[in-house]
Coordinates of all heavy atoms in Angstrom, one line a residue:
F681 N 15.1 -11.3 4.8 CA 15.2 -11.0 6.2 C 15.7 -12.3 6.9 O 16.6 -12.2 7.8 CB 13.8 -10.7 6.8 CG 13.2 -9.4 6.4 CD1 11.8 -9.2 6.5 CD2 14.0 -8.3 6.0 CE1 11.2 -7.9 6.2 CE2 13.4 -7.1 5.7 CZ 12.0 -6.9 5.8
L682 N 15.2 -13.4 6.5 CA 15.6 -14.7 7.2 C 17.1 -15.0 6.9 O 17.8 -15.4 7.8 CB 14.7 -15.8 6.8 CG 13.2 -15.7 7.2 CD1 12.4 -16.9 6.6 CD2 13.1 -15.7 8.7
S683 N 17.4 -14.8 5.6 CA 18.8 -15.1 5.3 C 19.8 -14.2 6.0 O 21.0 -14.6 6.2 CB 19.0 -14.9 3.7 OG 19.1 -13.6 3.4
Q684 N 19.4 -13.0 6.4 CA 20.3 -12.1 7.1 C 20.1 -12.2 8.6 O 20.7 -11.4 9.4 CB 20.0 -10.7 6.7 CG 20.2 -10.4 5.2 CD 21.6 -10.6 4.7 OE1 22.5 -10.0 5.3 NE2 21.8 -11.5 3.8
N685 N 19.1 -13.1 9.0 CA 18.8 -13.2 10.4 C 18.5 -11.8 11.0 O 19.0 -11.5 12.1 CB 19.9 -13.9 11.2 CG 19.5 -14.5 12.4 OD1 18.3 -14.7 12.6 ND2 20.4 -14.8 13.3
R686 N 17.7 -11.0 10.3 CA 17.4 -9.7 10.8 C 15.9 -9.5 10.9 O 15.1 -10.2 10.2 CB 18.0 -8.6 9.9 CG 17.4 -8.6 8.5 CD 18.2 -7.8 7.5 NE 18.1 -6.4 7.8 CZ 18.9 -5.5 7.2 NH1 19.8 -5.9 6.3 NH2 18.8 -4.2 7.4
P687 N 15.4 -8.6 11.8 CA 14.0 -8.3 11.8 C 13.6 -7.5 10.6 O 14.5 -7.0 9.9 CB 13.8 -7.5 13.1 CG 15.2 -6.9 13.4 CD 16.2 -7.8 12.7
G688 N 12.3 -7.3 10.4 CA 11.9 -6.5 9.3 C 10.4 -6.2 9.4 O 9.7 -6.8 10.2
I689 N 10.0 -5.3 8.5 CA 8.6 -4.8 8.5 C 8.0 -4.9 7.1 O 8.6 -4.5 6.2 CB 8.6 -3.4 9.1 CG1 8.9 -3.4 10.6 CG2 7.3 -2.7 8.8 CD1 9.6 -2.3 11.1
I690 N 6.7 -5.3 7.1 CA 5.9 -5.2 5.9 C 4.6 -4.5 6.2 O 4.0 -4.9 7.2 CB 5.6 -6.7 5.3 CG1 7.0 -7.4 5.0 CG2 4.7 -6.6 4.1 CD1 6.8 -8.8 4.5
V691 N 4.3 -3.6 5.4 CA 3.0 -2.9 5.5 C 2.2 -3.1 4.2 O 2.8 -2.6 3.1 CB 3.1 -1.4 5.9 CG1 1.7 -0.8 6.1 CG2 3.9 -1.3 7.2
N692 N 1.1 -3.7 4.2 CA 0.3 -3.8 3.0 C -0.8 -2.7 2.9 O -1.4 -2.4 3.9 CB -0.5 -5.2 3.0 CG 0.5 -6.3 3.0 OD1 1.5 -6.3 2.3 ND2 0.2 -7.4 3.8
V693 N -0.9 -2.2 1.7 CA -2.0 -1.2 1.5 C -3.2 -2.0 1.0 O -3.3 -2.3 -0.2 CB -1.6 -0.1 0.6 CG1 -2.7 0.9 0.4 CG2 -0.3 0.7 1.1
S694 N -4.1 -2.2 1.9 CA -5.3 -2.9 1.6 C -6.4 -1.9 1.3 O -6.2 -0.9 0.5 CB -5.7 -3.8 2.8 OG -6.9 -4.6 2.5
S695 N -7.6 -2.1 1.8 CA -8.8 -1.2 1.5 C -9.9 -1.5 2.4 O -10.0 -2.6 3.0 CB -9.2 -1.5 0.0 OG -10.5 -0.9 -0.2
V696 N -10.8 -0.6 2.6 CA -12.0 -0.9 3.3 C -12.8 -2.1 2.7 O -13.5 -2.8 3.3 CB -13.0 0.3 3.4 CG1 -12.5 1.3 4.4 CG2 -13.3 0.9 2.1
H697 N -12.5 -2.3 1.4 CA -13.1 -3.4 0.7 C -12.5 -4.8 1.0 O -12.8 -5.8 0.4 CB -13.1 -3.2 -0.8 CG -14.0 -2.0 -1.1 ND1 -15.3 -1.9 -0.9 CD2 -13.6 -0.7 -1.5 CE1 -15.8 -0.7 -1.2 NE2 -14.8 0.0 -1.6
E698 N -11.5 -4.8 2.0 CA -11.1 -6.1 2.5 C -12.3 -6.6 3.4 O -12.4 -7.8 3.7 CB -9.8 -6.1 3.2 CG -9.8 -5.6 4.7 CD -8.4 -5.9 5.4 OE1 -7.3 -5.8 4.8 OE2 -8.5 -6.3 6.6
K699 N -13.2 -5.7 3.8 CA -14.3 -6.1 4.7 C -15.7 -5.8 3.9 O -16.6 -6.6 4.0 CB -14.3 -5.2 5.9 CG -13.4 -5.7 7.0 CD -13.9 -6.9 7.7 CE -12.9 -7.4 8.8 NZ -12.6 -8.8 8.7
I700 N -15.7 -4.7 3.2 CA -17.0 -4.3 2.6 C -17.1 -4.9 1.2 O -16.2 -4.6 0.4 CB -17.2 -2.8 2.5 CG1 -17.0 -2.1 3.9 CG2 -18.5 -2.4 1.9 CD1 -17.0 -0.6 3.8
P701 N -18.1 -5.7 0.9 CA -18.2 -6.2 -0.5 C -18.4 -5.0 -1.5 O -19.0 -4.0 -1.1 CB -19.5 -7.0 -0.5 CG -20.0 -7.1 0.9 CD -19.2 -6.1 1.7
R702 N -17.9 -5.1 -2.7 CA -18.0 -4.0 -3.6 C -18.5 -4.5 -5.0 O -17.7 -4.9 -5.9 CB -16.6 -3.4 -3.8 CG -16.6 -2.0 -4.5 CD -15.3 -1.4 -4.6 NE -15.3 -0.1 -5.2 CZ -14.3 0.5 -5.8 NH1 -13.1 0.0 -5.7 NH2 -14.4 1.7 -6.3
P703 N -19.8 -4.5 -5.2 CA -20.4 -4.9 -6.5 C -19.7 -4.1 -7.6 O -19.3 -3.0 -7.4 CB -21.8 -4.6 -6.3 CG -22.1 -4.6 -4.8 CD -20.8 -4.1 -4.2
L704 N -19.6 -4.7 -8.7 CA -19.0 -4.2 -10.0 C -17.4 -4.2 -9.9 O -16.7 -3.8 -10.8 CB -19.5 -2.8 -10.3 CG -21.0 -2.7 -10.6 CD1 -21.4 -1.3 -10.9 CD2 -21.4 -3.6 -11.7
Y705 N -16.9 -4.5 -8.7 CA -15.4 -4.6 -8.5 C -15.1 -5.9 -7.8 O -14.4 -5.9 -6.8 CB -15.0 -3.4 -7.7 CG -15.1 -2.0 -8.4 CD1 -16.2 -1.3 -8.4 CD2 -14.0 -1.5 -9.2 CE1 -16.4 -0.1 -9.0 CE2 -14.1 -0.3 -9.8 CZ -15.3 0.4 -9.8 OH -15.4 1.6 -10.4
L706 N -15.6 -7.0 -8.4 CA -15.4 -8.2 -7.7 C -13.9 -8.6 -7.5 O -13.5 -9.0 -6.4 CB -16.1 -9.3 -8.5 CG -16.0 -10.7 -7.9 CD1 -16.8 -10.9 -6.7 CD2 -16.4 -11.8 -8.9
S707 N -13.1 -8.5 -8.6 CA -11.7 -8.9 -8.5 C -11.0 -8.0 -7.5 O -10.1 -8.5 -6.7 CB -11.0 -8.8 -9.9 OG -11.3 -7.5 -10.5
Y708 N -11.3 -6.7 -7.4 CA -10.7 -5.8 -6.4 C -11.1 -6.2 -5.0 O -10.2 -6.4 -4.1 CB -11.2 -4.4 -6.7 CG -10.5 -3.3 -5.9 CD1 -9.2 -2.9 -6.2 CD2 -11.1 -2.8 -4.7 CE1 -8.6 -1.9 -5.4 CE2 -10.5 -1.9 -3.9 CZ -9.2 -1.4 -4.3 OH -8.6 -0.4 -3.5
S709 N -12.4 -6.5 -4.8 CA -12.8 -6.9 -3.5 C -12.1 -8.2 -3.0 O -11.7 -8.3 -1.9 CB -14.3 -7.2 -3.4 OG -15.0 -6.0 -3.6
I710 N -12.0 -9.2 -4.0 CA -11.4 -10.4 -3.6 C -9.9 -10.2 -3.3 O -9.4 -10.8 -2.3 CB -11.5 -11.4 -4.8 CG1 -13.0 -11.8 -5.0 CG2 -10.6 -12.6 -4.6 CD1 -13.2 -12.7 -6.2
S711 N -9.3 -9.3 -4.1 CA -7.8 -9.1 -3.9 C -7.6 -8.5 -2.5 O -6.6 -8.9 -1.8 CB -7.2 -8.2 -4.9 OG -7.7 -6.9 -4.8
K712 N -8.5 -7.6 -2.0 CA -8.3 -7.0 -0.7 C -8.7 -7.9 0.4 O -8.1 -7.9 1.5 CB -9.0 -5.6 -0.7 CG -8.5 -4.6 -1.7 CD -7.0 -4.3 -1.6 CE -6.5 -3.2 -2.6 NZ -5.1 -2.9 -2.5
G713 N -9.7 -8.7 0.1 CA -10.1 -9.7 1.1 C -9.0 -10.7 1.4 O -8.6 -11.1 2.5
G714 N -8.3 -11.0 0.3 CA -7.2 -11.9 0.3 C -6.0 -11.3 1.1 O -5.2 -11.9 1.8
M715 N -5.9 -10.0 0.9 CA -4.8 -9.3 1.6 C -4.9 -9.3 3.1 O -3.9 -9.3 3.8 CB -4.8 -7.8 1.1 CG -3.4 -7.2 1.2 SD -3.4 -5.6 0.3 CE -1.8 -5.8 -0.5
E716 N -6.1 -9.3 3.6 CA -6.3 -9.4 5.0 C -5.7 -10.7 5.5 O -5.0 -10.7 6.5 CB -7.8 -9.4 5.4 CG -8.0 -9.5 6.9 CD -9.5 -9.6 7.3 OE1 -10.4 -9.8 6.4 OE2 -9.8 -9.5 8.5
N717 N -6.0 -11.8 4.8 CA -5.4 -13.1 5.3 C -3.9 -13.2 5.0 O -3.2 -13.8 5.8 CB -6.2 -14.2 4.6 CG -6.3 -15.4 5.5 OD1 -5.3 -15.9 6.0 ND2 -7.6 -15.8 5.8
L718 N -3.5 -12.6 3.9 CA -2.0 -12.5 3.6 C -1.3 -11.9 4.8 O -0.3 -12.4 5.4 CB -1.8 -11.7 2.4 CG -0.3 -11.5 2.0 CD1 0.3 -12.8 1.4 CD2 -0.2 -10.4 0.9
T719 N -1.9 -10.7 5.3 CA -1.3 -10.0 6.4 C -1.3 -10.8 7.7 O -0.2 -11.0 8.3 CB -2.1 -8.7 6.6 OG1 -2.2 -7.9 5.4 CG2 -1.6 -7.9 7.8
K720 N -2.4 -11.4 8.0 CA -2.5 -12.2 9.3 C -1.6 -13.4 9.2 O -1.0 -13.8 10.2 CB -4.0 -12.6 9.5 CG -4.9 -11.4 9.9 CD -6.2 -11.9 10.3 CE -6.9 -11.0 11.2 NZ -7.6 -9.9 10.5
T721 N -1.7 -14.2 8.1 CA -1.0 -15.4 8.1 C 0.6 -15.2 8.1 O 1.3 -15.9 8.9 CB -1.3 -16.2 6.8 OG1 -2.7 -16.4 6.8 CG2 -0.6 -17.6 6.8
L722 N 1.0 -14.2 7.4 CA 2.5 -13.9 7.4 C 2.9 -13.4 8.8 O 4.0 -13.8 9.3 CB 2.8 -12.9 6.3 CG 2.7 -13.4 4.9 CD1 3.1 -12.2 3.9 CD2 3.6 -14.6 4.6
A723 N 2.0 -12.6 9.4 CA 2.3 -12.1 10.7 C 2.5 -13.2 11.7 O 3.5 -13.2 12.5 CB 1.2 -11.1 11.2

Side-chain angles (χ1 to χ4, degrees):
F681 290 157
L682 294 176
S683 74
Q684 302 296 304
N685 203 15
R686 67 194 289 173
I689 286 148
I690 298 176
V691 182
N692 295 322
V693 179
S694 181
S695 163
V696 288
H697 297 294
E698 83 167 40
K699 284 280 180 234
I700 305 175
R702 193 179 183 197
L704 302 179
Y705 291 87
L706 180 70
S707 50
Y708 185 82
S709 292
I710 292 174
S711 72
K712 299 301 186 180
M715 202 169 226
E716 179 185 13
N717 217 304
L718 177 75
T719 303
K720 288 190 158 78
T721 304
L722 291 178

